[in-house]
Amino acid sequence: MSNDSDRVQSGLEEYEKEDDDRPPFLLTYREVKLLGITGVGFFLDAYDLFIINPVSTMLQYRLYNGAALPSGLQGLLKASANIGSVIGQFGFGYAADYFGRKAVYGKELMIIIFATIFSISDPTGDLSPSGTLIWLTVWRIILGIGIGGDYPMSASVTTDRANLRRRGTLLAYIFANQGWGSLVGSLAVIVVLACYKSAMETHGETSKVDGVWRILIGLSLIPAFGTLYQRLTLPESRRFKAAQEGRDGELGDNAGVASADSDSTRHEGAGAKEAAEHKAHWGDFFAYFGEWRHFKILLGTCVCWFLLDVAFYGINLNQNVVLQEIGFDGKSGSPWTRLFKIGIGNLIITALGFVPGYYATILTIEKLGRKWIQIQGFLLAALFLGILAGMFHTLSTVAFIVNFALLQFFFNFGANATTYCYPAEVFPTRFRASAHGISAACGKAGAIISALVFNSLTDSIGTPNVLWIFFGCCIAGAGFSLLLPEVRGRDPDVVYAQEQREREQRLRQ
């Protein structure tokens, strides 16, 4: 199928031309369509990462008669999707720059669908309890490869098409789907458990929880199948084509203004150069990041995302500590009552802090800028972590909930959103997906560390001291943010083209 017919079919190439006087957070139809295609990955990311907490509790009743899962397997199960994400972020990031967005986009969603189907096919009756957990862990690692691949893919696909004055808002909208994924996950747990109340509570068939966790994981297939075709048929953006042809910065902020005729004319000779361009790409990549002025920015995006995720996932993959403090840890009652109480507690936590913080970022990112939001987010998250750590055993339930809600709010009206936006906006198109994948992988490395060591570290030094470690991560994150430039209104392709011209002039002199 030709590029022109792709463009007509999708209608999204026209989105590149949109630039009006409306506030950045008010979306056009084409923007909503693009964000529906790109945002589903982050919805699934949060949904799948959230859902493993209640699912692991359900597996206690299905496999171990309510006793705790083996600590090693439990940590590995919770970290499994993040382990896969690192692979996906590196792999899909490089592939998107090397082969092009169109050639790769949609494949990560196919991996998610494939892994989800095998996850819910876990033969619990035929395997030992440990074997069942290992099966689920393996397929969640594969699931994570798809989820991780979505980070650089959706960021690049959106940024390639965005006008400068709306770019940060569009990326923040995509990332906000994490909040909705967590919220829908919380609601799904409550609804599905309510449907099983008669079987589990009245008839005492606790083993029916096996159906609950499979339904909860399987529900993620609905949005995945719903957007697969759109991803597979999305055309290549003109900005990326220009970067491939060495015309970085030529289109400037009007990435869609070039006509289809001139675009196709330029592409007539492109096929013969493809192999040489691919080979040259890696030389350009290492030459670009071999300069300290560029490498320090990559260092900043990587380290800030790593430090953020140590604290963010340390808290959110181990919400049982928080639920215990607010009385929703499910320590008493029947199995169904315990699970339902945990579901209500998770809903409270998500609704209080997650969703509001994301939308504060959406409404202000073009006004306040990324750097300001990131630094204040790190510092205020550190403040509330310090309060929780210093007064962990003396805070009242209400005070604990308020502090935790504010912590979540400033994670999301702060570094959790901007660490995603920064690498998508600060690097030129030809290196964007690779750099975004590297940055995101560093973040997931932090999440993996938190998932694997949180429980054992809590047992050895206590929860307040672990919270102090998270406090230190946030302070350090604010410091490393100083390495980053403000990217509001900054076109990295224009900057890169200017740098190339200056380098050529120096060589001629």
Side-chain angles (χ1 to χ4, degrees):
M1 186 177 292
S2 70
N3 288 330
D4 289 341
S5 59
D6 276 350
R7 193 173 296 124
V8 171
Q9 180 183 19
S10 122
L12 282 173
E13 204 68 14
E14 288 299 312
Y15 158 69
E16 297 177 330
K17 301 178 185 178
E18 294 287 350
D19 192 17
D20 51 37
D21 295 328
R22 72 176 62 205
F25 53 83
L26 293 181
L27 305 181
T28 65
Y29 166 74
R30 292 186 180 92
E31 290 167 344
V32 171
K33 184 176 180 181
L34 177 66
L35 294 176
I37 295 170
T38 56
V40 71
F42 285 89
F43 178 91
L44 294 173
D45 174 35
Y47 182 92
D48 284 318
L49 290 174
F50 164 83
I51 214 71
I52 198 59
N53 280 316
V55 165
S56 63
T57 306
M58 293 172 192
L59 289 171
Q60 292 179 17
Y61 293 104
R62 177 64 181 88
L63 303 174
Y64 295 93
N65 296 317
L69 301 179
S71 58
L73 285 175
Q74 182 181 24
L76 191 59
L77 178 62
K78 288 185 176 181
S80 55
N82 283 321
I83 292 171
S85 288
V86 172
I87 302 169
Q89 285 157 343
F90 273 121
F92 277 91
Y94 283 118
D97 283 342
Y98 192 84
F99 297 109
R101 287 34 162 170
K102 179 176 173 54
V104 180
Y105 204 36
K107 310 303 187 295
E108 74 294 328
L109 202 54
M110 294 170 69
I111 293 174
I112 291 173
I113 291 170
F114 181 72
T116 300
I117 292 172
F118 275 91
S119 293
I120 61 178
S121 303
D122 195 338
T124 51
D126 299 324
L127 297 175
S128 66
S130 294
T132 297
L133 293 179
I134 292 170
W135 173 289
L136 191 56
T137 298
V138 169
W139 286 108
R140 282 188 62 79
I141 289 174
I142 296 171
L143 173 78
I145 293 173
I147 289 174
D150 194 78
Y151 277 70
M153 291 306 308
S154 290
S156 301
V157 164
T158 302
T159 308
D160 290 351
R161 288 172 162 77
N163 287 298
L164 291 183
R165 66 180 295 269
R166 306 168 73 83
R167 185 181 62 200
T169 303
L170 293 170
L171 290 167
Y173 263 118
I174 292 174
F175 200 72
N177 280 282
Q178 279 198 338
W180 291 112
S182 296
L183 186 65
V184 170
S186 305
L187 289 170
V189 170
I190 294 170
V191 171
V192 177
L193 276 172
C195 295
Y196 275 77
K197 182 176 183 180
S198 176
M200 292 179 62
E201 187 82 338
T202 307
H203 301 292
E205 297 175 338
T206 305
S207 62
K208 294 288 187 182
V209 77
D210 200 52
V212 178
W213 75 259
R214 293 177 196 273
I215 291 172
L216 289 172
I217 291 178
L219 285 173
S220 63
L221 291 170
I222 298 172
F225 275 117
T227 53
L228 179 60
Y229 175 77
Q230 292 289 342
R231 287 196 175 197
L232 292 174
T233 57
L234 190 67
E236 196 70 271
S237 72
R238 299 184 183 185
R239 184 182 287 270
F240 180 75
K241 290 176 182 177
Q244 279 187 314
E245 296 169 6
R247 298 184 290 118
D248 309 80
E250 182 179 312
L251 298 182
D253 192 29
N254 299 306
V257 172
S259 71
D261 290 338
S262 62
D263 187 60
S264 59
T265 301
R266 290 189 185 101
H267 273 73
E268 287 176 359
K273 300 178 182 177
E274 187 172 341
E277 288 172 354
H278 284 170
K279 185 176 180 180
H281 172 79
W282 297 116
D284 292 343
F285 179 88
F286 289 113
Y288 180 80
F289 287 108
E291 296 183 38
W292 168 246
R293 58 177 172 171
H294 300 141
F295 179 75
K296 75 174 182 179
I297 296 174
L298 182 62
L299 180 67
T301 60
C302 290
V303 174
C304 287
W305 208 335
F306 173 82
L307 293 168
L308 179 275
D309 276 11
V310 169
F312 181 78
Y313 283 97
I315 293 287
N316 289 292
L317 285 178
N318 298 280
Q319 287 187 355
N320 57 309
V321 174
V322 180
L323 296 175
Q324 184 175 344
E325 290 298 315
I326 66 175
F328 285 93
D329 56 341
K331 290 291 185 183
S332 60
S334 66
W336 184 90
T337 301
R338 295 179 184 182
L339 291 168
F340 194 78
K341 186 177 282 190
I342 291 171
I344 295 292
N346 282 323
L347 180 61
I348 293 170
I349 291 171
T350 303
L352 282 175
F354 257 60
V355 174
Y358 287 115
Y359 282 87
T361 300
I362 288 170
L363 294 173
T364 62
I365 191 168
E366 304 295 359
K367 188 93 173 163
L368 300 177
R370 290 59 159 165
K371 192 169 185 175
W372 191 92
I373 291 176
Q374 180 158 309
I375 291 175
Q376 66 85 30
F378 267 130
L379 293 177
L380 286 169
L383 170 66
F384 294 110
L385 279 166
I387 293 172
L388 290 173
M391 306 177 67
F392 189 77
H393 298 295
T394 58
L395 284 174
S396 67
T397 299
V398 172
F400 191 95
I401 293 173
V402 169
N403 271 276
F404 188 80
L406 288 169
L407 171 63
Q408 293 284 28
F409 179 84
F410 285 106
F411 269 143
N412 297 311
F413 177 42
N416 193 37
T418 54
T419 50
Y420 170 76
C421 296
Y422 247 119
E425 297 189 86
V426 74
F427 299 113
T429 299
R430 63 171 57 208
F431 311 126
R432 177 175 296 134
S434 300
H436 198 283
I438 293 169
S439 303
C442 288
K444 287 303 181 188
I448 292 166
I449 291 172
S450 278
L452 293 178
V453 307
F454 181 91
N455 288 326
S456 59
L457 203 57
T458 299
D459 292 339
S460 61
I461 66 174
T463 302
N465 287 325
V466 174
L467 294 175
W468 280 122
I469 293 173
F470 296 161
F471 168 89
C473 288
C474 289
I475 294 295
F480 275 96
S481 297
L482 298 175
L483 291 173
L484 302 173
E486 177 53 62
V487 293
R488 179 181 54 183
R490 179 182 187 271
D491 189 329
D493 289 326
V494 172
V495 173
Y496 179 66
Q498 179 62 32
E499 290 174 353
Q500 293 293 93
R501 286 193 292 270
E502 291 172 357
R503 183 180 294 107
E504 291 171 3
Q505 288 173 0
R506 287 196 301 270
L507 291 174
R508 285 197 297 266
Q509 290 173 354

